[in-house]
Amino acid sequence: MEGHRNIDREPVVYVEISKLAGADSPRTSGEDAEHVEVLAAAQTELPPIIVHRATMRVIDGLHRLKAAKLRGADRIPVRFFDGDEADAFVVAVKSNISHGLPLSLADRKRAAERIIKSHPQWSDRMVASVTGIAPGTVADIRRRTAGTVPPQTVRIGQDGRARPINGSEGAGWRRN
């Protein structure tokens, strides 16, 4: 998740809209046409979207992209994310709970399940901080997906430290 913390420091570049691919969005309902209309009618420049450089997929800002198209723009301000697709999805979720049109609770729960599968070493609190749901809800989701995720002996917390899942296995903490 380190890449998300630094995404606001990435330079803004203008990219041709035709070069961008659709999103791997955590939003299952698709775009909200009314929200796109509101954004398109705004008199100010919209914030940069986030694009996964390797795939040119929109990670965050699909509504802004649609609004730019409605405005007749051929280019849009972009910040690039460099990382794998699993981390790009994490950035998409984190971005969509912190601004703009919020994700539904159902979308956040589905995202938590996907993140547990792609980042099984993350603590429940870490997943909760990304998805905007309670750590207890993440724990429930983890229990339901237990057979689909390789068992872990250590989990990484929000502070970046790895801790044993079973406290009786020792108090040895290590920083990753």
Side-chain angles (χ1 to χ4, degrees):
M1 197 166 88
E2 189 66 36
H4 180 266
R5 285 183 226 144
N6 296 325
I7 199 82
D8 291 337
R9 294 184 192 148
E10 292 298 318
V12 175
V13 296
Y14 283 79
V15 175
E16 288 181 39
I17 289 174
S18 63
K19 302 239 187 256
L20 300 174
D24 179 16
S25 177
R27 192 178 312 280
T28 56
S29 61
E31 75 181 62
D32 180 313
E34 186 176 329
H35 187 62
V36 171
E37 292 284 339
V38 168
L39 292 173
Q43 297 298 309
T44 60
E45 184 175 24
L46 299 172
I49 65 173
I50 302 173
V51 173
H52 185 227
R53 188 186 314 264
T55 62
M56 294 301 283
R57 283 182 183 244
V58 176
I59 295 173
D60 176 47
L62 194 56
H63 288 102
R64 285 172 274 159
L65 176 62
K66 300 280 184 178
K69 288 179 181 178
L70 272 180
R71 289 177 170 180
D74 59 349
R75 295 176 353 128
I76 189 166
V78 166
R79 283 195 166 104
F80 282 111
F81 171 77
D82 293 304
D84 65 22
E85 291 192 50
D87 287 338
F89 182 77
V90 169
V91 170
V93 173
K94 181 77 172 165
S95 297
N96 278 281
I97 65 161
S98 62
H99 67 81
L101 187 63
L103 293 174
S104 70
L105 178 59
D107 285 343
R108 289 183 280 141
K109 286 180 177 180
R110 277 189 289 279
E113 182 175 345
R114 183 169 166 182
I115 292 169
I116 288 167
K117 289 177 180 177
S118 66
H119 296 78
Q121 72 282 12
W122 281 10
S123 71
D124 294 342
R125 286 186 180 152
M126 178 78 134
V127 175
S129 73
V130 170
T131 58
I133 58 178
T137 303
V138 174
D140 291 342
I141 294 168
R142 190 183 298 274
R143 278 191 287 280
R144 284 197 314 268
T145 61
T148 62
V149 177
Q152 304 290 308
T153 57
V154 175
R155 294 228 180 100
I156 300 171
Q158 289 178 275
D159 61 1
R161 292 184 177 197
R163 295 178 178 84
I165 293 172
N166 181 345
S168 67
E169 292 178 6
W173 296 12
R174 67 176 192 258
R175 192 142 179 84
N176 283 354

